[in-house]
Amino acid sequence: MEGVSEANNQSVPEQIRIRAEKRQRLIDDGRNPYPIAVPITHTLSQVREKYPNLAAGEETEDFVGVAGRVVFSRNTGKLCFVTLQQGDGTRLQAMLSAAQVGKESLSDYKTDVDLGDHLFVYGRVIASKRGELSVMAQPGAEGQPAWQLTAKSLRPLPKTFKTEDGQEVSLSEDQRVRHREVDMITREAAREMVRTRAKVVASLRATLSGEDFIEVETPMLQTLHGGAAARPFVTHMNAYDTDLYLRIAPELFLKRCLVGGIDRVFEINRNFRNEGADSSHSPEFTMLETYQAYGNYRQIAELTRQLVQNAAQAALGTTVATLPNGESYDLGGEWEWIDLYGSLSAALGQEITPRTPREELVKLAQAREIEVEKFYSPGKLVELLWEEEVGDDLYAPTFVADFPEDTSPLVKSHPEKPGQVQKWDLYVRGFELATGYSELNDPVIQRERFEAQSLDAANGDPEAMQVDEEFLQAIEAGMPPAGGMGMGLDRLLMAITGLGIRETITFPLVKRI
C-alpha cells in the first residue's frame, strides 16, 4: 500500500485520503495535530485507581488532564462520548458537551477526531448517569484546552469481528506479525506478551546475579562462525574489505572470558542462523548462554531448572502454565534425566550404541523416510532417529543426556561411556528448550575436533565449524573445567505460554510481500 504522503493518488484508500486531508486542514488553520507536549496530570489508570466507587450521576470538583488513543466514539447532538485507551489497555470515558466546551469546539471535535487518534481531554471527574467513570471536558482556568489532538492517525484501526467460538478478532495471524504495533493496539494478549517477555528477562538476570554470574557482551560480527552447528549469515565490512559472519552463538567468546578469570559469566543477546523458519525456529532469535567455572553438565542442569522455574513464577505467579487450549502444564518439581542411546534403543526395540555401524543406522533412517545426506556422521543419524522416535513425543520436562561425540565438538567426552559426551538437551512438550555441556577445555583435543569439523565441511556439511585459531590460543592459556548452557529466550516464552515462536517475538522476521 502506498504511503499517505501520496494522498492525492487515487489508489490511496478513501479513509486514508480523508484523514490526510484533515491533517493538512488542521495545519493550514494553525492547529498542530502533533503537538510537542500537552498538560497531562494523570494517566487513565491513575484516575481509575483514585476514583473506584463513584455512584451513578456523582460529580466531583477534581480536574484532571488525561490522554489516550480513541478506541470508541459516539456522537449525539449536544453530547459526545469517547473512550480513551492508554498503552497497557486501561480505558476511560470522556464526555464533551456543547454546554461545557461550546458549540464551535464540539463541532470541531466531531469533524476532526477519528477512531485511532490520540486525544487529550481536560475536565472534571464524574460518573455518568449509567455509572461509567468519566472526565467531563471543559476548559481550564489557566487556559488548558478542553480537548486537543495529540497525534492524528492517518490509518484507520482494523474492524473487530467475532469468530464462531465468540473470540474477538481484528487481524489475521499473518497481519498480526507483520503489523505488531496494530496487534498491540487491538489485542490484549499481544500487549501482555511484551510484558511477560520483560518479566522473564528480568527474572533470568536476577537469578544469575543471585548466583554471582556477571553479564557481558560479545561480538555479533565475527570473522569466523562457531559455537554451534548452524548455517551462518554472511555480510561484508567495507572498512576492512572482508567478509564477516553474524554470530550463530556467543559460546567461544564467553569461554574466553572464563580463560580471563570471569568464572561465572552470561550473555542475553541476539543470534542469527540462516536456516528454516517454522513454529519453533526463527532465523533471528534471543539466546541466553551461561558458563560456570568448575561446574559440569549436572550442575548447569540444576541451574537451568532453577532459571526456568523462576521465570515461570515471575511471569505467571506459578510454575503451572495454562496453555491456549486450557490444558495445564507443570514446569515445577524435579525433572527426569534419560540417556539418549538408551531411550532410542527402547523405542526401536534393538540396541543402538556409538559402535552401531553407519550402514545399519542409514537403513533404520530410510525405513522411517528420514532424509540422509552423504556427509551425515553416525552420531547425526542417531540424533535424527532419536528425534523421530522419542523427541517428538517427549512431553514432560526432560533432560536427554550423553550425546554422540562426533556431533559435539565442544563437549568433554564421557569418562564412562566411550563415544559419548557429557551433553544434555532439555525437552519441553516435544521441542528442545536448552542444551548444556561439560565444556571441553583440553586445547589439543579441541584442535583435533575442529580439524575433524573442517573435513566435514569439505565433504559438504554446511553446518560444520571452522578451525578458530584465536579461540584455540585462548584456551591454550588455560581454561578451567566448566559447565555451560544455552537456552533460547523465545522458546522459553513458548514453554511458559504455549504459543508459537512468532507470537513470543515482538517483531519477528517475515517474508516481504
Side-chain angles (χ1 to χ4, degrees), residues 32 35 37-39 118-121 145-151:
N32 184 1
V38 289
H118 285 265
L119 184 70
F120 167 81
V121 176
W147 65 272
Q148 181 182 5
L149 271 173
T150 61

Side-chain angles (χ1 to χ4, degrees), residues 171-438:
L171 301 169
S172 68
E173 181 180 355
D174 183 70
Q175 289 172 322
R176 289 207 310 268
V177 297
R178 290 183 184 278
H179 303 285
R180 184 69 83 196
E181 66 285 350
V182 180
D183 187 27
M184 289 188 283
I185 293 170
T186 59
R187 197 167 59 97
E188 170 61 25
R191 297 191 297 271
E192 187 58 32
M193 176 55 73
V194 177
R195 292 178 174 83
T196 298
R197 188 181 181 99
K199 291 175 183 177
V200 166
V201 172
S203 172
L204 295 174
R205 287 194 165 104
T207 299
L208 289 166
S209 178
E211 297 293 331
D212 295 326
F213 284 79
I214 294 175
E215 184 172 10
V216 301
E217 295 177 344
T218 63
M220 291 191 188
L221 289 175
Q222 301 181 353
T223 55
L224 295 175
H225 65 89
R231 300 185 186 191
F233 286 93
V234 183
T235 187
H236 187 81
M237 182 177 178
N238 293 333
Y240 291 170
D241 190 23
T242 186
D243 286 342
L244 296 173
Y245 301 95
L246 298 183
R247 76 169 175 204
I248 58 176
E251 177 169 344
L252 303 186
F253 282 96
L254 291 175
K255 286 181 176 178
R256 289 165 70 173
C257 288
L258 292 179
V259 174
I262 311 299
D263 286 344
R264 295 190 174 202
V265 65
F266 77 96
E267 180 171 14
I268 300 174
N269 220 317
R270 308 295 277 181
N271 287 350
F272 308 86
R273 299 184 182 179
N274 198 1
E275 299 169 340
D278 56 32
S279 62
S280 61
H281 293 83
S282 174
E284 176 186 6
F285 61 98
T286 302
M287 174 74 82
L288 163 68
E289 285 207 18
T290 182
Y291 295 85
Q292 177 180 338
Y294 299 99
N296 58 41
Y297 77 150
R298 284 280 188 173
Q299 291 168 305
I300 211 74
E302 178 58 29
L303 175 63
T304 302
R305 183 174 68 87
Q306 181 184 354
L307 285 164
V308 172
Q309 292 175 348
N310 287 356
Q313 191 72 41
L316 307 176
T318 175
T319 57
V320 179
T322 301
L323 306 182
N325 62 4
E327 178 185 348
S328 294
Y329 185 81
D330 192 358
L331 290 160
E334 300 294 325
W335 295 345
E336 190 176 1
W337 184 281
I338 66 173
D339 180 81
L340 183 139
Y341 279 94
S343 58
L344 177 59
S345 298
L348 292 176
Q350 69 179 85
E351 186 178 24
I352 302 295
T353 74
R355 297 177 298 279
T356 301
R358 184 180 187 278
E359 295 75 15
E360 176 64 22
L361 297 171
V362 169
K363 289 179 183 178
L364 290 169
Q366 290 176 339
R368 288 156 179 79
E369 298 184 348
I370 297 173
E371 184 178 348
V372 177
E373 298 285 356
K374 64 179 182 179
F375 54 81
Y376 282 178
S377 67
K380 176 69 172 179
L381 293 169
V382 166
E383 291 183 6
L384 290 173
L385 284 165
W386 184 88
E387 289 171 5
E388 176 72 20
E389 294 294 319
V390 184
D392 290 344
D393 299 319
L394 202 57
Y395 190 75
T398 305
F399 291 107
V400 183
D402 303 336
F403 275 63
E405 186 176 283
D406 61 22
T407 62
S408 309
L410 298 166
V411 192
K412 270 188 174 175
S413 298
H414 199 295
E416 300 168 1
K417 299 179 179 180
Q420 293 175 252
V421 294
Q422 288 195 328
K423 168 188 172 181
W424 53 255
D425 279 354
L426 171 60
Y427 271 74
V428 173
R429 294 204 320 278
F431 66 86
E432 179 192 339
L433 173 57
T435 188
Y437 304 165
S438 291

